[in-house]
DNA sequence: TCGATTTATGAAAAGGTTTACATCGAGAAC
DNA sequence: GTTCTCGATGTAAACCTTTTCATAAATCGA
């Protein structure tokens, strides 16, 4: 009797495919087949096994599964940070597609540090992820080397890779910046300023800035006349940057911000300086965060298809080897969303 | 020669502990030891092995490791959504502590659906996570059963569990609501309204509402006089809710919102109705999102220690069995952050 | 110097699954 | 009726670690 009890305890300890097979009177191979490709098992036996699985509450051991099949159903997501809601939107897009397929998302942050990115990638590879989503095209050689040597599927988002061998689902940051410059030029603004993100080792921030400057020039605005300040994507930094710009250049009539977060801060910076938006100064953001619409004034901004990027990336990782090419490059568009923070330039001294 | 080449290809295919051992002239056990408890291996041999590991770029196979040691270094995070930045803050807190310990975060969303939560939990257990972070105290029995049967460490956040056997790191939502009611009473407001989150199967939303109503009553405001509207946490819903409230009750002088997201919307709803905040109507939010400070007017709100909850949860999951109790319950405080969206009640007809 | 204790290393099993290959039976083709 | 195919199932190896136990060497106390 004591023995029986112990046996029962033993069973409880871990419920494996062996126990299921025993109860169903079949081999463990068949149980495995039912779990993975049910159509290959005769309907009767299949039903019996499924019922037992359900009754006993059997949950397969993912580690064993991953070890043997070398597929973990884990997708790594590496972003600079989630502080700014823009990456969150991509994450939600990814997860929404991954979850129904039984895949999960492993999240890691780099804090905009490319060296840290290397370590993060290594860690994710160690965890056995089937794929990794990266942000931007600028990465350390070692990062790519790791990815390639370990044959981990990966893709780049929030930008389009020039390298054809690197799958990317994103948009052209330069065009986005150009959109803003073009619109400001249309409104007759001639004295421009930019609060860019930190452009060092950040292709998105530098792309937006470069695109803005190039288009401004094309529209007849002297590039060197444009005041550029870089700052990290934080409300307070945007505010401070606006202050710096306005202190030094009272005649600036429009500011383009590399992100909506910066723009929110800059809006306050203008207020601090006693300037009204858009009457005295126009403001354009980038990202089109949900909040942009609910600011006062509503923020004119460049919309970024963040959620779609996530969904498309999911498609890519879920695709089987053959149809990989179909999903390996997705070019999306930015569009200008005009709200109340921009107005025609007033003649000012 | 052809054979040699093939052998080399074979090696490339997957670099394991065996190869490291071969090159170091030791057993695989020793390699494993160097990787896991380096201090148990003689310094010389250890160095040699480490160098080889580095040279060859060996990365341990996490699945095999997890299978054998039954620890995956994966922590699951299950939240309703990341749309609202409040959960993002916790996520960042969690990740910031987990990453240095070599652990990673697996993210899953439930969309406020407790049945979906069951499936998500099962999926995470299957992935072999070492622990699971849950939001709130309200869960299906089956969810807890799964967690217990599979002996997965778990904790509840954003609330305090009444059940002592359930670890929680959170705060009392009722007190938070009470804080708001108390302050509005202090300001002399008598005609109150609440835009609560959807309270069904949501202990946080209902706790905040209940705490608010109870405190209002204590402060001499008739509970039944308070207008309550429930809506999902979306800007547009907050706006619509405010409209409903103001249409039906022009004499309402203060609105408490169950989240800052609702408050942002409600702020707009007031503007739509031609009311000025705080001169005509006061507004209090909940969460103290970063944006709250940057709204116009700055939003008075109840601060939630989201990041700290994440950090504390990480501590709990990182703790070893013995010191588990120390971390298993962390009671945090909410505090009222007063900004410009609240003002003393004016006498109005 | 000798036995006792500790330290460093190795051999081999175990962890739970997937999958290549073998087997068996039944129906199809001739 | 015999051979072939095909579908359903079983057997056993393989995936790559960690870890227990054993062994050998080194240290220590007396």
């Amino acid at each position: 009797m004591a023995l029986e009890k112990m046996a029962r305890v033993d069973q409880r300890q871990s419920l494996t495919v062996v126990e299921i097979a025993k109860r169903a009177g079949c081999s463990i191979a068949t149980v495995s087949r039912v779990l993975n490709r049910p159509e290959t098992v005769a309907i009767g036996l299949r039903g019996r096994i499924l019922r037992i699985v359900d009754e006993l509450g059997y949950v397969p051991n993912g580690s064993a599964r991953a070890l043997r099949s070398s597929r973990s159903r884990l997708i790594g997501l590496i972003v600079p940070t989630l502080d700014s809601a823009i990456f969150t939107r991509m994450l939600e897009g990814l997860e929404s597609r991954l979850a129904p397929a039984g895949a999960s998302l492993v999240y890691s942050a780099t804090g905009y540090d490319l060296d840290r990115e290397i370590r993060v990638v290594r860690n994710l590879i160690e965890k056995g992820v089937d794929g990794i989503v990266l942000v931007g095209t600028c990465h350390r050689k070692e990062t790519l080397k790791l990815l390639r040597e370990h044959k981990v599927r990966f893709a780049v988002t929030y930008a389009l890779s020039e390298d054809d061998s690197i799958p990317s689902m994103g948009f052209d940051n330069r065009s986005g910046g150009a959109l803003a410059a073009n619109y400001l030029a249309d409104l007759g603004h001639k004295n421009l300023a930019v609060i860019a993100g930190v452009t060092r080792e950040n292709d998105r921030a530098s792309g937006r800035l470069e695109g803005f400057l190039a288009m401004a020039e094309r529209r007849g605005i002297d590039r060197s006349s444009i005041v550029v300040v870089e700052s990290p994507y934080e409300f307070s930094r945007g505010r401070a940057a606006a202050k710096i710009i306005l202190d030094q250049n009272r005649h600036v009539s429009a500011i383009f911000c590399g992100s909506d977060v910066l723009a929110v801060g800059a809006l306050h910076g203008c207020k601090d300086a006693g300037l009204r938006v858009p009457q005295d100064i126009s403001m354009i953001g980038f990202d089109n965060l949900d909040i942009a619409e609910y600011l006062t004034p509503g923020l004119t901004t460049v919309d970024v298809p963040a959620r779609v990027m996530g969904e498309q990336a999911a498609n890519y990782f879920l695709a089987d080897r053959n149809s990989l090419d179909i999903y390996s490059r997705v070019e999306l568009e930015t569009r200008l969303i005009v709200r109340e923070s921009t107005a025609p330039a007033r003649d000012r001294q």
Side-chain angles (χ1 to χ4, degrees), chain A residues 259-275:
Chain A
S259 85
D260 284 355
V261 168
L262 289 175
V264 168
L267 245 25
H268 271 255
C270 292
K271 206 164 138 200
D272 294 344
L275 295 174

Side-chain angles (χ1 to χ4, degrees), chain A residues 195-208:
Chain A
I195 304 179
V198 178
T199 57
R200 185 168 177 280
E201 302 191 324
N202 183 329
D203 52 290
R204 288 90 61 211
S206 51
R208 290 168 197 184

Side-chain angles (χ1 to χ4, degrees), chain A residues 139-172:
Chain A
H139 303 282
R140 293 268 180 273
K141 270 192 189 140
E142 198 169 342
T143 299
L144 299 176
K145 192 179 153 212
L146 270 171
L147 257 9
R148 294 213 162 100
E149 281 191 350
H150 290 271
K151 301 190 172 66
V152 177
R153 204 180 281 196
F154 72 98
V156 148
T157 56
Y158 284 91
L160 292 167
S161 173
E162 287 130 37
D163 181 343
D164 271 1
S165 74
I166 297 181
S168 61
M169 32 263 1
F171 58 91
D172 182 8

Side-chain angles (χ1 to χ4, degrees), chain A residues 68-234:
Chain A
R68 180 58 234 232
S69 67
S70 59
R71 275 190 284 103
S72 63
R73 298 191 189 193
L74 250 28
I75 303 292
L77 170 66
I78 305 180
V79 300
T81 172
L82 243 35
D83 275 357
S84 167
I86 190 66
F87 293 123
T88 306
R89 220 156 78 197
M90 171 168 74
L91 184 154
E92 290 279 337
L94 248 177
E95 204 268 346
S96 72
R97 278 265 211 292
L98 251 28
S104 301
L105 200 65
V106 184
Y107 165 79
S108 300
T110 66
Y112 291 98
D113 176 347
L114 293 183
D115 291 316
R116 194 165 148 202
E117 188 177 60
I118 300 175
R119 276 174 273 140
V120 165
V121 166
R122 186 193 311 279
N123 185 272
L124 288 179
I125 290 176
E126 185 169 335
K127 296 286 190 303
V129 294
D130 295 337
I132 293 184
V133 182
L134 256 26
V135 169
T137 58
C138 183
H139 303 282
R140 293 268 180 273
K141 270 192 189 140
E142 198 169 342
T143 299
L144 299 176
K145 192 179 153 212
L146 270 171
L147 257 9
R148 294 213 162 100
E149 281 191 350
H150 290 271
K151 301 190 172 66
V152 177
R153 204 180 281 196
F154 72 98
V156 148
T157 56
Y158 284 91
L160 292 167
S161 173
E162 287 130 37
D163 181 343
D164 271 1
S165 74
I166 297 181
S168 61
M169 32 263 1
F171 58 91
D172 182 8
N173 283 278
R174 300 170 65 101
S175 319
L179 239 39
N182 205 34
Y183 184 61
L184 290 179
D186 283 350
L187 291 177
H189 290 278
K190 299 203 160 40
N191 298 303
L192 308 179
V194 182
I195 304 179
V198 178
T199 57
R200 185 168 177 280
E201 302 191 324
N202 183 329
D203 52 290
R204 288 90 61 211
S206 51
R208 290 168 197 184
L209 173 59
E210 192 47 45
F212 183 89
L213 295 177
M215 177 55 83
E217 195 154 45
R218 241 178 84 187
R219 294 294 303 264
I221 298 167
D222 185 14
R223 198 179 171 118
S224 64
S225 76
I226 301 175
V227 188
V228 178
V229 178
E230 293 192 10
S231 44
Y233 294 134
E234 290 168 32

